[in-house]
Each structure stands twice: as structure tokens, then as C-alpha cells.
């Protein structure tokens, strides 16, 4: 049984890693529509080393070139574009951060699109913005900005600008740059953006000379997949299967004693092991992403781990069948077990929601698992009641006596 468990863990870990590895992508060049923009053509006319690539989030595409203008200054020209939804209103921001690739401290250029008007301004994003203060234009940044413009082309909304960056604060071989989109603005004050992962991963450290980048979200994306797969298999599939076996195969309608116990025990131990590894990876990911937290997912996740750990204590502290405390233990073990069966899918759906907008496959995969489990439960429940009613009718007509084959008779026997 132990070697079977180890083999299964090994196969599942390989499966998770291979799915994660299949997500590795090379950097994408820009689309033809983007390259047809007048601003891009102008950039390439002036500097023939202009580079362009698709950024990792928000469907953004980014073109840039640079020129050394003096001993301690570099002029960089950038063009960033994405498709806003809805197309007629919203904002697009791009900025550089002298300290870290993060929102607070970013000096940004933000283009706001209103139904009849487009405006572009510079902004200094301080920590007050994160705390809820309005983001207002800051005409003076710690570098000069020229030729700011914004416009639409082939569904793209794009911002163009030239920045004169002091080399001391901004190293063009590792430039922290950040981009973002939002859905609404009050005049020149953009409102808060969405809080999905795409909006939080929209930052990287870019080498303007080679185009290579250290994408903060990239290695994390693979760990997130492993986290999701292990949690869905461990907590979301194996634990419910273990409960189904305890419920329907212990005494009634099927009596598979003591097989049901070994199966329940193995399923829960395997599910707990895989789920705990996934949970640990979740905590690691949460720890790494210091600038944001998914509070509810984290809280429910910690409760799931805590409660399953309590359930696993059955392994050591389960009273013997004849013990007077056994019936209290049964109530507690049943109650916590079924509470977990509610909490786990809630948290799995919360985790899947965090991955928005790339979460459709996850959602359908887990929907499929849930529907399958629900169908098995429904079939077994119908069979249980049919067998119970038949037995009752048979007994009544034969002896006139009455007994319900349910939890009462179940707990008399078995482990
Ligand atoms: C019952 C199952 C699950 C548990 C117990 C769980 C637990 C956790 C925990 C404790 C964190 C750390 C949160 C933080 O500190 O901010 C986390 C993060 C996360 N989880 Fe889950 N999780 C579960 C299922 C899922 C699923 C199914 C997915 C997606 C398919 C998912 C996606 C994520 C993502 C994307 C993060 C954030 C990673 C980051 O900050 O970069 N989780 N999870
Ligand atoms: C319009 C006003 C804005 C507000 C009110 C706002 C608010 C926030 C908040 C509250 C978070 C953290 C969420 C959490 O901790 O759970 C956040 C994260 C983030 N925001 Fe904004 N934001 C604004 C504009 C911007 C702009 C213009 C950019 C890009 C230039 C941006 C880029 C980011 C990034 C990359 C993150 C992820 C965390 C980090 O790396 O710092 N935000 N934002
Ligand atoms: C996360 C881990 C676990 C969960 C979620 C869980 C859940 C459950 C649930 C919901 C039931 C009731 C099924 C029913 O009759 O309707 C049950 C029964 C049972 N479980 Fe677990 N279980 C876990 C781990 C364990 C472990 C590790 C052991 C033993 C070492 C164990 C031993 C039992 C026994 C003996 C019963 C039958 C109780 C009775 O009715 O006499 N469980 N479990």
C-alpha cells in the first residue's frame, strides 16, 4: 500500500511538472497590426535598432529604442499598446521605477480615453495611492518627458513618449518597467484597476539593449500551475473519494469490511500529502509576492490545512470501537469531514478565479471532476434509499418489526 502511495505521488508530481514545463514560452514578437502603427514606423525610421515584443500580461505590446545623448543621460522612446475592453473608455499606463519592479514608486505616463476625449499626463505613484488616495497628474518627474501622445489603431489603444533618463537612477540594461490598464477615470484621475493576477504581474526588469527580460511572474506561473493541480487532485478529488467510500462501503448499502477502512485511510493520507505540498507551494507563492495578498483564499486555505490535519489525527487518537468516547469522536469526525467538503470546492473556485482571465480550462476541468463525483454520489444515494426502503418493506411484511439501516447500524460494526 505504501509503495503504491509513493508511486502515485511520483507520477502525479511528474505530471504536474510536465504540464508546468509545457507552459514555458519564448518571447513573442509584436503582431502585424501593432507594427503597422504610424508611431512604430516613425520610431524605426529614426532608430533602426527599434525592438518590439508582446508583454507577458494584459495583452500589451511594447516597442522601444534608445540613444545615448550625453555622458550621463539616455534617451529612450517607447510605444505601448493594448486592446481596452470596453474599447471606448479606460486608461493605459506605462512607467519606470528606479527602485523595484513594482507599482509604488513608479513614474508613469497615463493615457485616459473618454468617449470624446483622450488625454495623456505624467504621474508619480506613491504609496498613498495604494492606500486609497486619488492618483493625480504630477507635471514634474525626476526626468524629462517629450512628445507624449496617445491614439487608437486597429483596435489598439497606444501611448507614445520619449524619456530622457539619468543613468545614475535608471540602468537601461536592467530597467524596472511597469504597465497597467484600468476601466474608468474621473477626468484626469484614473480609478483603481482590476485585482487579478494579470494586473499584478504587469512588471518586469528589461534589458533595453538585448530585449531580454526577467519577468517576475514567469517562474511563478509554473509554480501556480503545480499548486493548482496538486490542490485539485489532493484536496479536491482524493479526499471526497475517501469520504464516498466511508459513507457507502462501510456497512450499507455495501459492506466491504475492512477494505473500506484501508481505502478511506489511504485516500485521505495520499490526498492530505499531495494537498499539503500544494498548500505549502501556495504559501511560498504568497510569501514571494510581497506587494499583494489574496486574503480570503489564504484564510480558507489555512483553515482547510488546519482542519484536515485535525482529521488526520484519527490516525493516532481514534478511540477504539468499544470506547465510550467513540460516538463523540464519530460526530466530530463526520462534522469536520463534511464541513471540509464544502470549504474545499469554495477555495478551489476562489483560486481559479485569481487566475482570471486565463482560468477557463481550470474551471471546466474542476467542473468536470465535481459533476463526476456528484453523479457517483447521486447513484449511490438512490441505490441506498431503494435498498433501505425495500428492506423495510420486506421486514414489515414478514415480521412487523422496523429498523433503519443507516448511521446507527453502520457504527455498530467496522473499524
Ligand atoms: C483547497 C485548495 C487550495 C488551497 C488550500 C490553497 C491555498 C493557497 C494559499 C495558502 C495561498 C497563499 C495566499 C497568499 O499568501 O496570498 C494560495 C495562493 C494562490 N493560489 Fe491557492 N489554494 C487552493 C487551490 C487553488 C487552486 C485550485 C488554484 C488555481 C487553479 C489556486 C491558485 C492560487 C494562486 C494563483 C495563488 C497566488 C499565488 C501568488 O501570490 O503568486 N489555488 N493558495
Ligand atoms: C489608479 C490608481 C491606482 C490604484 C488605486 C491602485 C491600487 C493598487 C492596489 C491597492 C494594489 C495592491 C492590491 C493588494 O495588495 O492586494 C495595486 C497593485 C498593483 N498596481 Fe496599482 N493602483 C493604481 C494605479 C496603478 C498604475 C497606474 C500602475 C502601473 C503603472 C499600477 C500597477 C500595479 C501593479 C504592478 C501592482 C502589483 C503590486 C506591485 O507590484 O506593486 N497601478 N494597485
Ligand atoms: C482529511 C482526512 C479525512 C477526512 C476528510 C475524513 C472524512 C470522513 C467522513 C466525512 C466520514 C463519514 C462518512 C459517513 O459515514 O458518512 C469518515 C468516517 C470515518 N473515518 Fe475519516 N476522514 C479523514 C481521515 C481519516 C483517517 C486518517 C482515519 C483513520 C485513521 C479515518 C477513519 C474514519 C473512520 C473509522 C470512519 C468511520 C466512522 C464511523 O462511522 O464509525 N478518517 N471520515
Amino acid at each position: 500500500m505504501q509503495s503504491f502511495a509513493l508511486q502515485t505521488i511520483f507520477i502525479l508530481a511528474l505530471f504536474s511538472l510536465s504540464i508546468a514545463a509545457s507552459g514555458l514560452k519564448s518571447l513573442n514578437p509584436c503582431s502585424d497590426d501593432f507594427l503597422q502603427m504610424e508611431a512604430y514606423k516613425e520610431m524605426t525610421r529614426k532608430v533602426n535598432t527599434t525592438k518590439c515584443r508582446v508583454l507577458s500580461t494584459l495583452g500589451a505590446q511594447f516597442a522601444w529604442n534608445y540613444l545615448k545623448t550625453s555622458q550621463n543621460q539616455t534617451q529612450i522612446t517607447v510605444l505601448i499598446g493594448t486592446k481596452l475592453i470596453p474599447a471606448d473608455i479606460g486608461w493605459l499606463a506605462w512607467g519606470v521605477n528606479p527602485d523595484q519592479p513594482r507599482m509604488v514608486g513608479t513614474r508613469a505616463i497615463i493615457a485616459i480615453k473618454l468617449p470624446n476625449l483622450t488625454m495623456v499626463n505624467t504621474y508619480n505613484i506613491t504609496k498613498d495611492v495604494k492606500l486609497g488616495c486619488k492618483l493625480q497628474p504630477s507635471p514634474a518627474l525626476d526626468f524629462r518627458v517629450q512628445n507624449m501622445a496617445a491614439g487608437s489603431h486597429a483596435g489598439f489603444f497606444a501611448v507614445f513618449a520619449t524619456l530622457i533618463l539619468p543613468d545614475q537612477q535608471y540602468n537601461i540594461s536592467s530597467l524596472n518597467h511597469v504597465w497597467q490598464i484600468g476601466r474608468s477615470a474621473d477626468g484626469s484621475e484614473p480609478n483603481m484597476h482590476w485585482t487579478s493576477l494579470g494586473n499584478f504581474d504587469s512588471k518586469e526588469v528589461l534589458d533595453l539593449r538585448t530585449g531580454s527580460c526577467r519577468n517576475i511572474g514567469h517562474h511563478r506561473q509554473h509554480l501556480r500551475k503545480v499548486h493548482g493541480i496538486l490542490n485539485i487532485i489532493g484536496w479536491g478529488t482524493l479526499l471526497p473519494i475517501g469520504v464516498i467510500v466511508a459513507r457507502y462501503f462501510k456497512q450499507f448499502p455495501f459492506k466491504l469490511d475492512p477494505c473500506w477502512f484501508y481505502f478511506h485511510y489511504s485516500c485521505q493520507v495520499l490526498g492530505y500529502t499531495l494537498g499539503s505540498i500544494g498548500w505549502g507551494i501556495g504559501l511560498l507563492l504568497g510569501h514571494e509576492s510581497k506587494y499583494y495578498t489574496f486574503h480570503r483564499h489564504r484564510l480558507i486555505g489555512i483553515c482547510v490545512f488546519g482542519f484536515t490535519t485535525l482529521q488526520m489525527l484519527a490516525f493516532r487518537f481514534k478511540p477504539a470501537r468499544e470506547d465510550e468516547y467513540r460516538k463523540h469522536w464519530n460526530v466530530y469526525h463526520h462534522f469536520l469531514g463534511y464541513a471540509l467538503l464544502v470549504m474545499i470546492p469554495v477555495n478551489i473556485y476562489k483560486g481559479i478565479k485569481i487566475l482570471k482571465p486565463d482560468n477557463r480550462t481550470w474551471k471546466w476541468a474542476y467542473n468536470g471532476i465535481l459533476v463526476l463525483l456528484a453523479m457517483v454520489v447521486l447513484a449511490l444515494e438512490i441505490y441506498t434509499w431503494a435498498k433501505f426502503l425495500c428492506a423495510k418493506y420486506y421486514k414489515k411484511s414478514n415480521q412487523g418489526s422496523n429498523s433503519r439501516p443507516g448511521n446507527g447500524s453502520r457504527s455498530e460494526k467496522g473499524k
Side-chain angles (χ1 to χ4, degrees):
M1 191 60 82
Q2 245 182 352
S3 76
F4 169 74
L6 281 175
Q7 268 176 11
T8 316
I9 292 178
F10 183 68
I11 290 167
L12 289 172
L14 273 185
F15 174 66
S16 311
L17 286 174
S18 67
I19 289 196
S22 69
L24 285 170
K25 283 183 224 143
S26 54
L27 297 178
N28 293 330
C30 293
S31 69
D32 288 344
D33 281 348
F34 190 79
L35 299 179
Q36 289 309 313
M37 271 194 210
E38 206 40 58
Y40 178 76
K41 289 184 186 160
E42 185 66 26
M43 281 170 82
T44 46
R45 263 197 293 273
K46 285 191 180 153
V47 182
N48 63 7
T49 52
T50 300
K51 292 188 168 62
C52 192
R53 44 173 278 247
V54 175
L55 296 176
S56 55
T57 65
L58 308 176
Q61 307 202 19
F62 182 61
W64 75 94
N65 60 44
Y66 66 94
L67 278 177
K68 194 101 184 107
T69 49
S70 74
Q71 190 104 61
N72 49 11
Q73 280 188 333
T74 307
Q75 171 187 306
I76 70 164
T77 301
V78 296
L79 172 70
I80 180 164
T82 187
K83 294 185 175 170
L84 294 179
I85 301 170
D88 57 337
I89 185 161
W91 56 265
L92 168 62
W94 179 85
V96 286
N97 192 319
D99 309 316
Q100 298 271 337
R102 61 180 291 205
M103 176 180 105
V104 173
T106 295
R107 281 71 161 153
I109 296 153
I110 306 185
I112 297 176
K113 192 176 186 190
L114 299 170
N116 308 314
L117 176 73
T118 298
M119 52 186 133
V120 197
N121 284 297
T122 51
Y123 295 76
N124 204 347
I125 308 175
T126 61
K127 66 172 184 307
D128 300 334
V129 174
K130 203 165 169 172
L131 298 176
C133 291
K134 280 283 185 190
L135 178 58
Q136 288 170 338
S138 314
L141 297 181
D142 55 1
F143 50 79
R144 267 189 302 139
V145 182
Q146 300 167 342
N147 309 326
M148 277 192 307
S152 301
H153 174 89
F156 278 100
F157 181 55
V159 182
F160 174 85
T162 299
L163 284 60
I164 317 289
L165 296 178
D167 291 344
Q168 233 178 4
Q169 285 139 288
Y170 299 94
N171 180 355
I172 63 152
S173 57
S174 56
L175 187 71
N176 303 319
H177 81 126
V178 183
W179 61 98
Q180 193 57 266
I181 54 172
R183 296 217 314 164
S184 66
D186 298 328
S188 60
E189 296 172 353
N191 291 328
M192 171 80 183
H193 47 82
W194 288 107
T195 53
S196 75
L197 272 183
N199 298 81
F200 289 161
D201 286 347
S202 51
K203 54 199 175 178
E204 64 185 19
V205 185
L206 178 65
D207 184 343
L208 293 186
R209 293 166 314 173
T210 61
S212 66
C213 69
R214 200 153 34 87
N215 187 317
I216 290 85
H218 229 83
H219 91 275
R220 233 181 261 158
Q221 270 164 23
H222 307 313
L223 274 186
R224 282 174 191 150
K225 283 183 188 155
V226 176
H227 166 76
I229 292 170
L230 288 177
N231 279 316
I232 288 180
I233 295 175
W235 307 130
T237 312
L238 290 172
L239 287 197
I241 291 177
V243 171
I244 290 173
V245 169
R247 182 167 175 81
Y248 298 104
F249 294 86
K250 185 180 156 216
Q251 183 74 25
F252 193 83
F254 304 103
K255 188 169 190 296
L256 296 179
D257 204 17
C259 281
W260 79 268
F261 177 75
Y262 296 129
F263 201 91
H264 178 66
Y265 174 86
S266 318
C267 250
Q268 309 312 69
V269 168
L270 192 58
Y272 178 78
T273 312
L274 293 179
S276 301
I277 299 171
W279 178 79
I281 294 175
L283 282 188
L284 188 83
L285 285 165
H287 177 74
E288 269 189 33
S289 47
K290 357 184 209 314
Y291 307 123
Y292 59 84
T293 306
F294 298 98
H295 297 280
R296 277 189 212 146
H297 184 63
R298 182 188 166 87
L299 187 71
I300 303 178
I302 290 172
C303 291
V304 165
F305 176 75
F307 291 159
T308 40
T309 305
L310 277 180
Q311 289 291 78
M312 295 310 287
L313 292 181
F315 174 53
R316 186 86 183 78
F317 297 112
K318 176 168 59 71
R321 225 185 315 139
E322 308 75 35
D323 199 306
E324 57 171 313
Y325 292 111
R326 175 60 182 252
K327 63 176 184 298
H328 302 300
W329 179 87
N330 276 358
V331 171
Y332 135 83
H333 190 75
H334 283 220
F335 177 76
L336 210 55
Y338 285 111
L340 275 166
L341 290 196
V342 176
M343 289 165 72
I344 287 169
V346 168
N347 213 34
I348 288 180
Y349 278 119
K350 279 204 178 295
I352 291 175
K353 198 171 161 207
I354 295 173
L355 294 180
K356 226 171 158 187
D358 308 317
N359 61 350
R360 282 176 140 238
T361 324
W362 288 96
K363 207 157 127 186
W364 287 113
Y366 186 58
N367 282 349
I369 292 175
L370 272 192
V371 167
L372 212 70
L373 289 172
M375 275 162 53
V376 171
V377 169
L378 190 72
L380 286 167
E381 199 62 34
I382 290 172
Y383 182 74
T384 305
W385 279 97
K387 197 171 170 183
F388 167 63
L389 291 174
C390 278
K392 199 172 154 187
Y393 176 77
Y394 180 76
K395 266 190 186 168
K396 224 180 191 176
S397 55
N398 276 331
Q399 302 155 8
S401 69
N402 185 3
S403 78
R404 186 201 177 280
N407 288 331
S409 57
R410 279 190 209 180
S411 51
E412 278 163 32
K413 292 194 184 151
K415 288 273 170 182

